[in-house]
Amino acid sequence: GNSVTQMEGPVTLSEEAFLTINCTYTATGYPSLFWYVQYPGEGLQLLLKATKADDKGSNKGFEATYRKETTSFHLEKGSVQVSDSAVYFCALSDQMGGGSYIPTFGRGTSLIVHP
Amino acid sequence: GAGVSQSPSNKVTEKGKDVELRCDPISGHTALYWYRQSLGQGLEFLIYFQGNSAPDKSGLPSDRFSAERTGGSVSTLTIQRTQQEDSAVYLCASSSQGAKNSPLHFGNGTRLTVT
């Protein structure tokens, strides 16, 4: 079956530090990959996505590259801000047994950025 | 524009009671998903609706859980004879087509507490 594994949190950084949140996946087909972010008190929202191998998704200074050979989609940002403090979810979308596309999510990684 | 709306935002119920959770998806979105988020866990898929097709119920944890979607829009998730292990945040999401590349748009969730 499909699964997503992300690094355990919380990740605690100082402002302007470099961020990496690791994500690896297992899929039976050729999935699309997503990062979602959940800010405190808000719902999950799409951060970025990539739909084929070697694609790079980017948004708000965050980037992630679809690596088929290592089945990874690590999230990076060069300089984090306090406002980036949130929970980040890696997800894949692949066709399920019944033919529908139902996203599978990782457990989420909490990021705490200190001033 | 209006996003995905869920109600109530919080629900406290006694063990053994039935509860109904409501979701209003984004207008025009044909795909609707219910997930459950427990503390420290990822998002657990529950049920998926796509247009007028039969729903994918493969994620429902027991026959106490059911859901319907009326007129291809509003959805209600019903939990009968609630148990303490049902305590979680119930998330609803919709997407424009339910396709592999379509991102999900989430509501803020309903926090269910079973006492």
Side-chain angles (χ1 to χ4, degrees):
Chain A
N2 298 332
S3 66
V4 175
T5 302
Q6 5 181 162
M7 60 190 291
E8 299 248 349
V11 173
T12 304
L13 295 172
S14 297
E15 204 164 25
E16 299 183 2
F18 184 86
L19 169 71
T20 301
I21 299 179
N22 291 337
C23 171
T24 57
Y25 67 90
T26 301
T28 53
Y30 195 156
S32 292
L33 302 175
F34 303 81
W35 277 100
Y36 288 82
V37 58
Q38 185 175 29
Y39 298 104
E42 299 183 14
L44 276 79
Q45 58 186 271
L46 177 70
L47 180 59
L48 53 84
K49 72 176 184 180
T51 60
K52 60 183 188 295
D54 300 324
D55 264 4
K56 178 184 285 188
S58 61
N59 186 24
K60 299 182 181 180
F62 291 88
E63 293 182 339
T65 301
Y66 191 141
R67 300 290 188 199
K68 196 168 189 293
E69 64 275 15
T70 54
T71 61
S72 65
F73 193 53
H74 304 321
L75 182 67
E76 297 182 337
K77 186 174 185 182
S79 176
V80 293
Q81 305 300 311
V82 172
S83 57
D84 293 327
S85 298
V87 181
Y88 293 82
F89 292 87
C90 185
L92 69 82
S93 179
D94 192 13
Q95 196 164 31
M96 307 298 281
S100 51
Y101 292 99
I102 298 173
T104 300
F105 287 81
R107 291 191 173 193
T109 301
S110 175
L111 170 65
I112 301 169
V113 180
H114 293 294
Chain B
V4 176
S5 177
Q6 291 187 244
S7 61
S9 55
N10 281 284
K11 176 71 177 179
V12 180
T13 190
E14 292 180 352
K15 178 182 171 181
K17 300 283 190 184
D18 298 352
V19 295
E20 283 189 353
L21 312 180
R22 177 188 168 100
C23 173
D24 275 286
I26 292 173
S27 178
H29 279 194
T30 60
L32 187 147
Y33 308 76
W34 283 97
Y35 286 86
R36 177 167 71 174
Q37 185 178 21
S38 303
L39 191 63
Q41 303 296 312
L43 275 67
E44 175 190 6
F45 165 70
L46 297 176
I47 189 168
Y48 164 68
F49 296 88
Q50 172 58 281
N52 295 320
S53 302
D56 184 328
K57 304 180 182 180
S58 59
L60 293 179
S62 77
D63 59 8
R64 296 186 295 105
F65 288 72
S66 63
E68 62 177 21
R69 188 179 185 190
T70 54
S73 180
V74 171
S75 177
T76 303
L77 177 69
T78 301
I79 309 173
Q80 295 179 310
R81 305 182 301 282
T82 52
Q83 303 296 312
Q84 288 187 330
E85 61 263 28
D86 299 335
S87 296
V89 177
Y90 289 82
L91 298 174
C92 176
S94 67
S95 76
S96 59
Q97 298 174 341
K100 186 168 77 167
N101 300 337
S102 298
L104 269 56
H105 299 260
F106 283 87
N108 286 353
T110 294
R111 181 176 298 278
L112 175 66
T113 304
V114 182
T115 62

